[in-house]
Amino acid sequence: MSAGKWTADEELLKTFRAVGRASLLVDIQDSHSGNMAVRWADAAGEERIVITATGSQKGELDRSQICFLSPAETDYGYYKASSETDVHARILSLPGVRASMHAHVKEIVIATLDDRPKPAAPPPFVPVDPLGWYHLGGSVPVDWFAVPSGSPEMARTIPERLAANVLTLIWGHGAMARGRTLPEAFFRLCVANNSGAIVRQMEALGVDVAALRARAMAGPGAVFSHAPADYAAYDDARNDFPEEEEIVAEFAKAGHRVFESRLSPFHTGSMSVRGVEAMLYAPKASMPRDIGGPLLKVPLAPGPADDPETALHKAIYAGSDFQTVLHCYVPEAEAQAHFVYPGDPAPADRIVPVDAEGGFQYLVIPVVPPGADAATLVRLLHEYKVVVVRGGGVWAVGAQSLSEVLHHPSSVREICLYRAGAFARGLDLRKMEPERARRW
Amino acid sequence: MYGYHGRILEVDLTDGRVEAKPLDPSLVRDYLGGRGLATRLFYDAVDPACDPLGPDNVVVLATSPLVGTSAPTSCRGHMVFKSPLSGLIGTSNSGGTWAHAFKATGHDVLVIRGRSSEPVTLDIRPGGARLLPAGDLWGKDIHETTDALTEGAEPGNPYKVLCIGPAGENLVRIATVANDRNRVYGRCGPGAVFGSKKLKAVRVSGREKIEIGDRDLFRSGLDQAVYLMKQAPVTKRLMREMGTAGLVELINLIGMLPHRNFQDCRHRDEDVDRVSGETLARTFLERAGGCYLCPIGCQRHTSVPGRGGPDEKGEGPEYETTVLMGPVCDIYDLAAVTRANYRCNELGIDTISYGGTVACAMEMFETGLITPEETGGMDLSFGRADSLEALVRMTARREGIGDRLAEGSWRLAAACGSPGHSMSVKKLEIPGYDPRASFTQALGYMTSPTGACHLRGGYAVSLAFFGGTKEIPRYSLLQSPIAIRNMQNIGILQDSLGVCRFTGYAFATEPWARMVRGATGGDFSVAKLEEIANRVACLERLFNIEAGATAEDDDLPARFSDLPIVVEGKERRLAPEDKDRMRRDYYGIRRWDADGRPTREALDALNIRRRGR
């Protein structure tokens, strides 16, 4: 390979850097772990594997740490490339796969740890949240490897797993995901980590996760709200309203905050600003800096092609005067929505803040079952501004701005963290909840 | 009916008939109280073609179900009438103690019709009301009238007085009605309507209480409201320490402080310092005060050095007064502004319209449209602080050039053949926020039912600069129509709940919904309140259309399109096509047609019964 080819163009470098930084922000890498790879055609149309250098610090990638390899033969690029290059190369040879990524998705790794003697075949991980269930396929394989990093055993097994799954877990180590683009692979890793976090938080709250899994496997419609739309891999740069520069900036600010504050995994959730006949709609609300998402102008009138998410935005606007809507998948809220008070037969229909700020800002956060209709949601949003749908994320509304609507799920996350923390310390939540909250 | 007494007091000044009538519960359900209820009763009672200063005009003054409870700031009354300034609906709102005391007479609403042949005072007690001769009060100012009518009250049950001054008596179109001496129903000229009816004052006294439907529910909303007001800087501290004039520096900082009749927004910083809230606090402020049940305390009780005598004491100035009588007239003399404010309080003149009218006169004087002969030799140039106070007296008494100022800026400018010099919308003078610096504010002025009012038009400036999480882009054509509709609706609810705008700095509708549900036991969910606000806005529009308003009235003076200001280094103006788009979208979101007429669909959806149908 000539030296001239050892240079990432701006777009490629930007993507690697952005995904690298984002992966550290959501804590699915340590400072030097993980690796990213894509298949890339150079100007002459020659296919290359582009992969991060071994030991590179993913938060600060520079050009020299983006390696260009031949997919067909060993060349000098392999000196510097990731130790997982063999695994990536085989994954990238799968039909339709143009990107792969390995990350230390600690939440789901912890959620799949067990103390049985090894070697052993761990059971698959079954998500109990809608993102994990629908985007990861309802069941995620877990494999134990004697040498769980860069080994020939991994290079053989993992591509096989990824031929049938979008993501696979390496017991005690991390996950490997495939995608059509690098952001799509990153998306799947984030969703997986989120699923692990939710299971762990549910376990900490005493939720019967096994029973929930059994119900999901019996019929996901009873456990989850609508299925999220399939990940759209190629439209992130689309902007239907470039003339509204100030609003575009507001979407970016809100999207960054959703991502960085972990209010919803990467490129999940949705947000909108209402116009008179159309809404400005970001179907990937959680947007890190430097990785945007599409900004669409969508008619407010219901359309036959509307996915459930878009349709719900429209229904909220049709039934109210709100100007902004945000939907995101706050993991703490999903776990809390399944909390059952000791002695109660079923999860509560409200989350009651036990902290001072949350208690006066909200008093209660209503929780509705996954099948709740739009009219119920709109009614509750009028009264409470934010609603948790069990198995369906957090919906919030604002009278004016995206900033206003963003504050609600952010507050809900804090409220849930305080409740979970108090419960973990053995405190009696019932005693901590304000008396007035019971009347609402 | 919890929260209400269920009684309307109707007074016909022509024949002296006073009658208590039952309040239709369906009106309460659909229009709540205050502004909403008053608007419905006004719409049903008045011919939209009537002469605003004739006997057929009707004044409706309504309280809300929260008035009489302990809800914070719930002391306010709302007055609706046909405006002698605009010829359209006039609505004005005031704090103080009068509305609370009126409700304690056992009535929710006061309806005033007809015209007395002689000056009268309406005296209302529980179980009855009567008209008293007021010939001896005619000519007295508001403070003198208040003092005269509050004498002789029984201990523990003081008289509360609502009255006009000489400006109202002289049919000055920018005249106010005042209570508690300095709390005014200021905008749209209600004082002139009182004056035309020869109604000098309404005195009330009573101890009737209302019953609360669900005390626990009421309490839960109240607790949350109080907590949030203690938390928000504007409600917990800023207003008390600096008053609304504390905004002067901020509004200047963001390039929105108007200058020389809105010709530009350029000021020297040291000049702005001289009229700022900080300077007021350091110099003339004696103490802050608040309306009944108000923890915010924005009132400015001040004193200024007397000219050759003792210090003068009074109230003010607030932000709007400071700006309209100050920088808009190129005046940066806080003492002069404060003294002129005192005179306006006493004589009964709206300080916003007065400042706007004087600024208009100053510009026309400098351009020769008003001559020194017409001013009696008075120099009306911009910056002449010495003219401010004298002109208040001349305006109130319609003396000299004051007779023309008494007509408001639009009629003054039109009489000179140059209505474009009037910085007004629907003939109501523009308050102290330049619309070129915020499209939302611009649209608010354009679409306000009463004309250029920062309150009825939607308090949009907060959305751009100090609205916390609610801040929106300043120049968004897309967001402005819905943003201002929502701000207008919140204002309608606050006016209909009888509470202060400034609570909006701490919270929006949810705590109020719980309080009003608790107070009334009725179905006033947030969604229901939203629906009521839309209904009231539509009914106000309907009246204006029937009174002759058209889409052309929903416009700003050409100056704001022709003459840009510079904000943060960029030229800003309201291009005609931008105004057209925002107005069209605003009509659309209100479900009005392209001419701004409420559609049948909107009327049906909001269950609005049209006149005679």
Side-chain angles (χ1 to χ4, degrees), chain A residues 244 246-247 250 273-276 280 320-321 323 356-357 360-362 382-383 385 399-401 403-404 407 439-440, chain B residues 214 220 224 227 231 469-471 473-476 478-479 482-483 485-487 489 510 514 517 525-526 530 534 585:
Chain A
E244 291 278 357
E246 291 179 298
I247 298 181
E250 292 299 307
V273 172
R274 174 198 209 161
V276 178
L280 309 185
S320 73
D321 285 349
Q323 181 156 214
E357 170 99 358
F360 269 95
Q361 291 284 357
Y362 295 95
H382 266 114
E383 292 299 317
K385 299 290 176 283
Q400 304 292 3
S401 68
S403 182
E404 175 189 4
H407 191 224
R439 289 174 41 81
W440 287 19
Chain B
D214 182 339
S220 75
Q224 190 184 20
Y227 172 89
Q231 182 188 52
T469 61
K470 290 190 172 66
E471 287 182 14
R474 289 169 77 167
Y475 305 103
S476 171
L478 182 130
Q479 277 199 269
I482 298 175
R485 187 274 310 269
N486 288 353
M487 284 302 277
N489 282 2
E510 302 87 70
R514 283 194 295 283
R517 276 207 303 272
S525 62
V526 174
E530 192 176 89
N534 282 316
D585 285 353

Side-chain angles (χ1 to χ4, degrees), chain B residues 520-595:
Chain B
T520 63
D523 171 28
F524 290 111
S525 62
V526 174
K528 175 82 173 171
L529 293 177
E530 192 176 89
E531 178 188 315
I532 288 172
N534 282 316
R535 182 176 295 121
V536 174
C538 199
L539 188 62
E540 288 175 336
R541 183 67 179 188
L542 195 58
F543 178 86
N544 278 351
I545 294 291
E546 291 173 357
T550 69
E552 289 180 5
D553 295 308
D554 297 333
D555 202 359
L556 290 162
R559 172 163 296 171
F560 298 108
S561 300
D562 300 341
L563 192 61
I565 59 171
V566 177
V567 182
E568 294 171 349
K570 287 186 76 172
E571 285 197 345
R572 296 289 183 181
R573 66 188 184 98
L574 273 303
E577 60 273 21
D578 290 342
K579 288 190 296 181
D580 287 346
R581 176 183 160 180
M582 288 197 295
R583 184 169 39 217
R584 184 194 66 219
D585 285 353
Y586 176 87
Y587 290 170
I589 204 74
R590 286 277 190 212
R591 286 190 286 187
W592 301 346
D593 67 17
D595 296 321

Side-chain angles (χ1 to χ4, degrees), chain B residues 7 75 141 239 310 359 383 420 434 471 486:
Chain B
R7 281 194 290 274
C75 66
D141 73 26
M239 285 295 175
D434 196 295
E471 287 182 14
N486 288 353

Side-chain angles (χ1 to χ4, degrees), chain B residues 80-103:
Chain B
V80 178
F81 49 94
K82 186 172 179 183
S83 168
L85 201 59
S86 67
L88 306 173
I89 195 166
T91 93
S92 203
N93 188 285
S94 177
T97 56
W98 188 90
H100 181 268
F102 167 72
K103 192 163 179 183

Side-chain angles (χ1 to χ4, degrees), chain B residues 142 167 172 174-176 343-345 347-351 354 392 395-396:
Chain B
I142 282 166
V172 171
I174 57 175
T176 62
R343 299 293 90 75
C344 283
N345 290 350
L347 298 168
I349 290 179
D350 171 25
T351 56
Y354 172 74
V392 179
T395 301

Side-chain angles (χ1 to χ4, degrees), chain B residues 271 274-275 284 326 331-339 385-386 388:
Chain B
D271 285 341
R274 289 162 60 199
V275 293
F284 304 146
I331 290 169
Y332 300 89
D333 182 336
L334 193 56
V337 169
T338 305
R339 286 194 192 94
D386 55 341
L388 269 183

Side-chain angles (χ1 to χ4, degrees), chain A residues 31 33 37 41 46 71 105 116 171 195 209 230 261 346 365 412:
Chain A
S31 61
S33 71
E46 189 179 349
V105 279
R116 284 172 297 177
W171 188 94
S195 293
V209 175
D230 291 341
S261 292
I365 312 293
V412 168

